[in-house]
Amino acid sequence: MKIFPGSSPLLLPLAPTIAGTIANYLQSIAQKIFEPLSHNCDNVVPKLSPLGGHWPFEQSLKLVTSSPYQYVSTIAHRLAAKSSFTPVEICHHLQPPIGDAIDPRSCLELGCWFNDAGYIYFELTPRSIALWLNYIHDLPLIIAPSPGQFLAPTIAIYAHTRCCSVLQLAQSEKLVTITADWQLSTADLSCLENPSTAELRSIFDCPAQQRLIHALMAVLDGIYSDNLRFVSPQLPSGIVRPDPIAQIRSPNWTKLTLDLAQSWLEFYRDCRIFGDVQRQNPRLAIARCGLTAISRRYLQVLLENYLGLN
C-alpha cells in the first residue's frame, strides 16, 4: 500500500454523505490531474472525456464490507480508460486540494492509500465518525420522488418501534431529553463534543456499533446518490449528458431498510445503554442513545418515503 504524498491524514470538507465528501475530492483532483500530466508526456489523449458531474465519482465508490469505515474507489481506472495513463500512474499524481483556510473542525479526517492495482482506499478516523454522526442527526433531507410501493419488512417496523421505546425509557431515566421529533436535545449533543481519543475508540470499537454505523453510511449514501438521478449538473456548452435516470440505478430500498433494522437490533442486544453503562460511563450511554435516535429517524425515512408505509 502507498500513502498519498503529504496527505496523511487527508482533511476533506464535510458533505451530506461520506461518499459525497470523497466524490467532491475525486472530482476536484480529476479536473486538475490531466493538464500537468499531459505537459510531461507527448503520447497522450488531448484531454479527458467529459465525466458528467458528480455521479460517476459516486458510482466509483463502494463501502468495504470486510473492514469498518472504509471506502474503495475505482476512479483511477475510469480516468485511465479516458487517457493513455495506467491507474497506478494516475494514483501517483493524486494530491490533496485542501488549503490552509479550511477549518479542520468541520472536516472529515481520512486515511488514504492506493494499492498496486490502482484501487484507492479511504478510511474514516473515530473523530470523523463522531463528526459525521452529529451532522446527520438532524440533517435536513432532500427526498427524491418515491419510486413506488414496496413491501416494508416487518422487522423494520418492529425495530422502529423498539427505538422509540428505548428513547422514551432513556428520557424517563433522565439520561437524555428527547425533542418532539425524537432527536436528542442540544444539551445532550453538546456533552458529546470534543471527546477524547480513548472515549471515541470505546464508542466505535464495538463490532455491533461498527455494523450499525456501516448500515447508516449505506443508507445516507443511497438517499443522496438517488437524488442525483433527478439533478442535472451544469455541463460545458455543447456537451449533452446522458439521461441520468437511465444511468444511475435506484438503490435497493428494501435491503437498505432491512440491513439498518437488523443492525440496530444487533446493536441494542450487544451494546448496553442502561444499568452499569449508564452509571459508570454516561457519555457512552448518551452516544448510544444518539445512535438509536439516528437509526429511528432513518428507519422512518426509509419506511415512509421509499417503501410507501403510511
Side-chain angles (χ1 to χ4, degrees):
M1 297 293 183
K2 300 175 176 63
I3 300 296
F4 284 179
S7 61
S8 181
L10 188 69
L11 294 178
L12 300 179
L14 183 61
T17 69
I18 296 167
T21 297
I22 299 172
N24 289 341
Y25 164 71
L26 293 174
Q27 174 139 352
S28 69
I29 58 176
Q31 290 171 342
K32 297 175 181 178
I33 189 174
F34 195 83
E35 183 176 355
L37 285 178
S38 62
H39 290 319
N40 299 322
C41 181
D42 295 330
N43 183 26
V44 296
V45 180
K47 66 177 182 178
L48 288 173
S49 302
L51 295 174
H54 290 261
W55 66 274
F57 299 93
E58 298 269 9
Q59 284 186 313
S60 80
L61 287 169
K62 288 186 178 180
L63 272 167
V64 178
T65 56
S66 59
S67 181
Y69 318 139
Q70 270 189 14
Y71 284 83
V72 60
S73 174
T74 58
I75 191 61
H77 294 262
R78 288 175 175 264
L79 294 175
K82 298 174 182 291
S83 73
S84 61
F85 302 107
T86 68
V88 174
E89 286 174 332
I90 289 174
C91 287
H92 276 294
H93 287 83
L94 298 179
Q95 295 288 342
I98 304 306
D100 296 334
I102 293 180
D103 185 354
R105 293 173 297 180
S106 62
C107 289
L108 289 185
E109 185 180 75
L110 299 101
C112 301
W113 66 90
F114 60 90
N115 62 19
D116 291 335
Y119 292 98
I120 307 171
Y121 290 84
F122 300 86
E123 182 173 75
L124 273 77
T125 64
R127 189 169 298 279
S128 287
I129 299 164
L131 173 66
W132 180 73
L133 288 172
N134 278 325
Y135 182 68
I136 68 168
H137 175 265
D138 53 2
L139 174 70
L141 292 177
I142 301 174
I143 305 297
S146 173
Q149 297 282 336
F150 295 91
L151 182 63
T154 303
I155 192 172
I157 301 172
Y158 169 73
H160 179 270
T161 303
R162 290 291 294 133
C163 285
C164 294
S165 299
V166 168
L167 292 172
Q168 287 176 328
L169 177 58
Q171 179 161 260
S172 68
E173 293 276 321
K174 301 189 184 322
L175 178 61
V176 295
T177 300
I178 305 300
T179 65
D181 56 354
W182 293 93
Q183 302 302 297
L184 267 63
S185 69
T186 303
D188 293 327
L189 291 176
S190 64
C191 84
L192 297 174
E193 292 179 356
N194 302 317
S196 67
T197 301
E199 285 178 316
L200 285 170
R201 295 199 178 280
S202 71
I203 292 172
F204 300 123
D205 276 355
C206 172
Q209 284 185 173
Q210 291 175 348
R211 287 191 292 271
L212 176 57
I213 295 169
H214 189 280
L216 286 166
M217 290 163 65
V219 168
L220 268 293
D221 290 347
I223 290 173
Y224 279 87
S225 66
D226 191 60
N227 287 341
L228 295 176
R229 300 192 306 129
F230 301 91
V231 176
S232 297
Q234 294 294 321
L235 298 180
S237 176
I239 296 176
V240 179
R241 175 182 173 171
D243 178 9
I245 296 180
Q247 295 292 322
I248 300 179
R249 182 181 302 173
S250 181
N252 186 332
W253 299 114
T254 301
K255 182 179 186 303
L256 286 173
T257 306
L258 186 61
D259 288 348
L260 179 56
Q262 291 176 329
S263 296
W264 182 82
L265 290 170
E266 291 174 5
F267 155 78
Y268 187 60
R269 180 195 65 201
D270 295 346
C271 302
R272 301 298 181 188
I273 295 176
F274 305 105
D276 290 342
V277 172
Q278 178 182 354
R279 290 187 293 272
Q280 298 172 11
N281 194 343
R283 283 166 66 96
L284 176 58
I286 293 172
R288 289 176 174 174
C289 286
L291 269 175
T292 297
I294 294 169
S295 301
R296 187 221 64 83
R297 182 192 186 197
Y298 289 100
L299 280 171
Q300 180 177 352
V301 167
L302 289 168
L303 287 168
E304 293 183 352
N305 296 96
Y306 294 100
L307 298 186
L309 183 67
N310 296 321

